[in-house]
Amino acid sequence: MTETTAHDGERSTTERVLVLLGLLQRGRSWSGPELAGRLGVTSRTVRRDVERLRALGYPVHALQGVGGGYRLGAGSELPPLLLDDEEATATAASLLAGAGGGGAGAGEAALRALAKIDRVMPARLRHEVSALAGAVDFFEGGPERVEPASLVTLAGACRDEVEARFRYPSRGEVTERRVEPYRLVASDRRWYLLAYDLDREGWRTFRVDRMTEVAARTWRFTPRPAPEDAAAYVQRGVVTGAYPHRARFLVHAPAEEVRAQVPASAALIHARDEHTCELLSGGSAPDRVLAYVAMLGHPFEVIEPPELVDRCAAMAERLRAAAERRVSPAEDSRTPGNQEATRPNWSRRTP
């Protein structure tokens, strides 16, 4: 009987402190009697509960004088937030839109926060969150869209070290994959999963936007030693593994300057010294890789493959011939409409 009473008292205190935290997070000052009336306790109990919040890291300030009381202030660290249903739904929907859009940096942070919220979110709110997130779209040229639920499931599987399964297209055939997920990596436009493929017995990189029927399993695993930094491993595979032609160049410009010009998914850049860097990239044709580097506007040399040097000479000759030959207005019989139709789409020429 005594144990039951003690347990009920502890639970009552915990619930009361959470209610107090919710009141303070409304952003206004509360007098001691106001809080006591809201909580149904004495002012002395309010003071004790305020001390409990302070011990947990919440900066509760006591205001003196007429109109004084208690107010939640800013601290040196971010303590846990207490959200009501509407706040939790709006926050999760915003995080879903940011993470599902596939952008790097903020997208990764959004996914980490979303995984934490998803772990404690009531089931009754999940449908509303998904509906709100589905109402968000991006301009053309934005990131590849992925299913937010897939990202949350994979992030949770990485965190909990449980196997995941999904269907994935490869060489014209859709197969089921069983993997030990290691990390989710965001590029400029896409999300990738670095995982150990159990059936193929090796590390693989998967595009999340190509996955279907994503699910976490109950089988736990002990993480294997990763091949290297996850982001570097995925970037190398994206830059070089997806294209039939690869080339390496010595660019006479600082590495940071070149990195600012080139998306991380298009090239690997390593500094040689303060003034030069190596650039590794791939493309569907040698001339595409060559043109891409030439358009950066820096002096460069071909390191490999050697035959690309001959392609440089051939491209230079074509450009020289184009510069020497001028088309007169009389020779140009194209209409303005035809000129518009034949204008190259430069947005599709990057590797």
Side-chain angles (χ1 to χ4, degrees), residues 85 88-90 92-93 96 114 118 121-135 147-149:
D85 283 5
T89 300
L96 277 171
L114 180 59
D118 181 75
M121 177 172 285
R124 68 178 186 277
L125 300 180
R126 285 197 170 95
H127 177 73
E128 186 175 354
V129 168
S130 298
L132 287 173
E147 287 295 328

Side-chain angles (χ1 to χ4, degrees), residues 38 74 90 111 117 120 125 161 164 185 187-188 301 304 319 338:
R38 287 293 190 110
L111 181 57
I117 292 179
V120 297
L125 300 180
E161 297 176 353
V185 178
S187 75
D188 304 280
E301 303 160 21
E304 58 181 6
L319 293 174
N338 288 336

